[in-house]
Amino acid sequence: MEDFLVIDAIRKRFGNHPALDGVSLQIREGEVFSLLGPSGCGKTTLLRLIAGFDSPDSGQILLQGRNVAGLPPEKRPVNTVFQNYALFPHLSIRENIAFGPKMAGWARSQISSEVARMLALVKMEDQADKLPSQISGGQKQRVAIARALVNKPRVLLLDEPLAALDLKLRQHLLVELAALHREVGTTFVYVTHDQAEAMSLSHRIAVMNAGRVEQVDVPESLYRAPRTPFVASFIGDTNLLAGSITGTSSNGCKVTVPGLGVLEIRPETPITVGDQVTLSLRPEDLSLTDGKDSDPSLVGVVDEVIYFGAFTRYWVTSSNQRLLVQTHGKAAWARGDAVRVAVDPGTLHIVEMKSSVQ
Amino acid sequence: MKRSWGPLIVTLLVLVFFYAPLVVLVVNSFNESRFGGTWEGFTWKWYEKLWSADEVWAALVVTLKVAVSATLAATVLGTLAAWVLRSYATRLQGAHHGLVMLPLVVPDLLMGMALLALFVSVGMETGIVTIWIAHVTFCISYVTMVVLGRLRDFDTSLIDAARDLGASPWRVARKVVLPILMPGIIAGALLAFTLSIDDFVITFFVSGPGTTTLPLRIASMMKTSRNLPIINALSSLLLCITFIAVTLSYRLNRPASNS
């Protein structure tokens, strides 16, 4: 169901700063949809608009076809997991989880059975009568999720729920979150600035930058086929290189890149000879060969070698281009070696195009 | 290791400095001697005289009426003022803050005279009502100051969380904001109560001929040395009551401070 939650041409300004500049998204029922971007890109603002803490200057938020943009947060069938969890410090874990059902006026027996079910779901039965100040950060996060989910929201909004935790715990909770989503099946809208978090958890990701959506796609497409330089460099590491289209070939065209020579590419959009393009090359799609017998303009020098265990990274300067190359296993080249950078065919990707035809 | 007598001596000096006057006062309230210079034997007679000093009890009733009602009004208004100061940022924020806090620094003498001038100019007869208005006026600032301190630690995302979970603004205030602020509100109320109960300067200006508060009554009794031991007895009683009240409020507050 493509139109479960529709964000339609949302604009929001804070003073002179446009936080959201015409954002449109379609979120499907039951998916984990991530809003990914650097701080200040508008992802949290968008989440707050969906939750109802702020209202948009223009545009609509349609939940199952109903515009909820004008409703206060208490009237929306969505619940939020806050970055700092925002657990009520004066209430026990059990009372925190029971807060929503109490506000909704559920029957007492139903409240206690649903709260017990949630406590079991997040494995907090033993801690139910403690205060939030008496439990750990990871436990608080689980209580915050239980407190939101007990209300059976149509959409669960998660605002960087793992940002306050250390790396080990974050990885552990990420696995738990994925399992939890499989169990409850609620639509998750997940805000994060951490691309690894978004990639591992999400079905689809919207990459945001400066109040706009750059690209919406499944994680693999974002990585393999980024459509803008921003997406290419934000998702993983990449080499962004300038090239120009210098000819055509049987199944595509030829692009000349300083330091790499003439490469073949199959563009997805119409392109003409003379166009200037920006290419994205993932470090693992590059390899190094001996540079001795090569054309001098294609020979580079290894500046830096860093061994990471499973792979090795090289920084190579070739024709004033600095390239990041990643190979499996231990280092085969040393600093100062003359090498030639080879490109795995088919991995080249155009992320920006300036047509020569004005 | 050689033991140092320094800390012990300093401690004793501090204790003497703080508590010697109180000890002298309590001891003299049981002293047969009228002037308290020498110990002439134990007696309850000053307490008996105090018991039959009707004008003292009348003044105490006025003081308590004013203190309780002024504390209630100032706590409500002061808490609201603190909330508004914290929640609504405008260009005049600094000015608003200054206006609410000004009574903390304005000398009591000036406050008293200004209030009296106001009451006279609008034709209000001085009495328990004018005392009450004056006390509410200066107590608000203290309550606001204490509650603002508590509000600084208040996490506003709790309000978002409560609304997100279906609470209307009114229920957010009742179920989340007030319970969390309560220790601060109680502390502000206690401060207001103590300030109201022993205010002398401002009350002196705005009290009327028929209404006298305890501090005013004690001051006028001081004019004749005959009454000195009775005042000692009264002060000792007040000391006891204060001690009990502080202990109680401490005990009541303890579970809240755990959270």
Side-chain angles (χ1 to χ4, degrees), chain A residues 48 51 53 72-74 78-80 82 84 86-90 99-100 102-103 131 147 151, chain B residues 155 157-169 171-172 175-177 179-180 258-259:
Chain A
R48 290 180 62 83
F53 303 134
E74 64 267 27
V78 299
N79 287 108
T80 310
F82 292 83
N84 63 357
L87 298 181
F88 303 123
H90 59 300
F99 191 91
K102 272 187 190 155
M103 291 299 124
L131 290 169
R147 185 180 68 171
N151 305 290
Chain B
D155 174 10
S157 68
L158 293 177
I159 296 175
D160 285 344
R163 295 203 65 187
D164 187 67
L165 293 166
S168 60
R171 290 174 100 180
V172 173
K175 298 280 183 190
V176 177
V177 179
I180 293 172
N258 270 345
S259 60

Side-chain angles (χ1 to χ4, degrees), chain B residues 13-30:
Chain B
L13 281 175
V14 168
L15 286 177
V16 167
F17 184 78
F18 277 163
Y19 297 111
L22 290 177
V23 171
V24 170
L25 186 134
V26 175
V27 168
N28 269 334
S29 73
F30 296 106

Side-chain angles (χ1 to χ4, degrees), chain B residues 58-79:
Chain B
L60 181 65
V61 168
V62 171
T63 299
L64 287 178
K65 274 186 187 165
V66 169
V68 169
S69 57
T71 298
L72 278 175
T75 302
V76 172
L77 292 173
T79 302

Side-chain angles (χ1 to χ4, degrees), chain A residues 257-262 291 294-300 316-319 339-341:
Chain A
V257 183
L260 287 175
V262 180
S294 301
D295 177 350
S297 71
L298 302 178
V299 174
V316 177
T317 302
S318 175
S319 296
V339 290
R340 187 173 169 177
V341 179

Side-chain angles (χ1 to χ4, degrees), chain A residues 127-192:
Chain A
Q127 324 277 330
D129 296 310
K130 288 188 175 171
L131 290 169
S133 57
Q134 295 166 317
I135 61 174
S136 71
Q139 292 174 326
K140 282 183 195 172
Q141 196 256 6
R142 303 212 302 259
V143 173
I145 290 173
R147 185 180 68 171
L149 278 180
V150 72
N151 305 290
K152 301 187 169 61
R154 306 275 169 74
V155 181
L156 183 70
L157 306 171
L158 300 111
D159 184 9
E160 308 227 13
L162 305 180
L165 305 170
D166 62 64
L167 183 65
K168 265 272 183 312
L169 191 57
R170 216 153 61 212
Q171 288 167 343
H172 174 68
L173 287 172
L174 213 49
V175 176
E176 278 195 0
L177 260 182
L180 189 74
H181 178 263
R182 277 196 300 279
E183 188 158 345
V184 297
T186 310
T187 310
F188 280 21
V189 176
Y190 189 98
V191 161
T192 181

